[in-house]
Amino acid sequence: MSEAPAPTPPPFPDLLHAQRVWDSELPSFDPATAPPSPLPLFHGWFADAVAAGQPEPHAMTLATADAEGLPDVRTLLLHDADERGFHFASHATSAKGHQLAARPYAALGFYWPALGRQVRVRGPVVRCTPAESHADLHARSTGALAAALTGTQSEVVESVAALHRAADAAWERARAEPDAEAPTWTRYVVEPAEAEFFQGDARRRHIRLRYRRTEVGTAPGSAAGPETGPETGSWTRELLWP
């Protein structure tokens, strides 16, 4: 007996326009109560997203520019947010690694639909020390180490079978050598020059609060130490039209 054919999906425009946004009650945000610098507000909003059950609240988009100045974007995970800035990691030999080496400036985007909130960050990017990059990789799971040991990120792979073979070998090595080196693995920090917090409103009275760095303790693009960085400087807060 043959299986029934799968139902035909509705036309894409109909499917797209049927989607609803922010049907649940959203939190309020009074920008007058915001702290003088963006990091405490980010920490608070992140905790709110976790409490609201937002899946993968640490997922973020990273935008860079290629050699021609054209934009590029991908989704990855936040590794930390501290006085130095917003941390992530990748291979220095990846597409993003090459782009950041040539143009060390990036933008980040977080979206937490459970709360109708977005956070946008822009600023220069610095590379952490090899010791910090090594510690970053080995503080993560066996799977993360295996992924870092699999192939050459962003390069062409000949087939899915070749990918599976390399991944299986990397998993075996990661289990046998939990301190294995991935020499190109690099931790990066985006030092925020701007940070914008967006609180959505069902009646479209969205609140946008932008922080702009006006004074810093270290020069943009410098390797800030653990007690210095953008959060030690001064910030201007501005309310923007939505």
Side-chain angles (χ1 to χ4, degrees), residues 45-232:
W45 276 27
F46 186 88
D48 290 344
V50 172
Q54 174 65 57
E56 299 182 355
H58 56 327
M60 63 184 187
T61 56
L62 168 69
T64 54
D66 67 14
E68 286 74 42
L70 300 176
D72 202 354
V73 68
R74 72 288 288 163
T75 301
L76 39 66
L77 299 180
L78 178 70
H79 287 201
D80 198 2
D82 61 12
E83 290 78 9
R84 297 168 65 183
F86 293 75
H87 300 236
F88 66 94
S90 183
H91 288 284
T93 51
S94 67
K96 69 180 84 63
H98 287 302
Q99 290 167 2
L100 289 170
R103 297 171 180 263
Y105 204 92
L108 303 175
F110 298 85
Y111 179 45
W112 300 314
L115 298 171
R117 286 176 172 172
Q118 300 180 54
V119 179
R120 300 168 58 220
V121 177
R122 296 200 304 164
V125 180
V126 298
R127 292 178 59 158
C128 292
T129 65
E132 288 176 299
S133 298
H134 178 86
D136 175 274
L137 180 60
H138 294 92
R140 304 176 70 206
S141 66
T142 300
L145 175 59
L149 296 172
T150 301
T152 304
Q153 189 177 22
S154 301
E155 293 297 320
V156 175
V157 61
E158 63 186 38
S159 66
V160 173
L163 169 63
H164 288 178
R165 287 193 300 270
D168 290 345
W171 269 94
E172 291 180 9
R173 185 182 175 196
R175 292 190 183 103
E177 303 175 45
D179 203 41
E181 294 282 357
T184 60
W185 187 258
T186 304
R187 184 166 174 136
Y188 297 90
V189 183
V190 179
E191 297 180 338
E194 294 183 7
E196 182 187 318
F197 294 79
F198 172 101
Q199 174 62 68
D201 178 82
R203 295 179 62 184
R204 301 303 191 265
R205 300 171 302 184
H206 313 312
I207 299 296
R208 293 176 61 190
L209 178 65
R210 180 173 64 189
Y211 289 81
R212 286 191 301 110
R213 188 173 61 186
T214 55
E215 181 184 340
V216 295
T218 57
S222 64
E227 301 301 326
T228 63
E231 281 296 320
T232 65

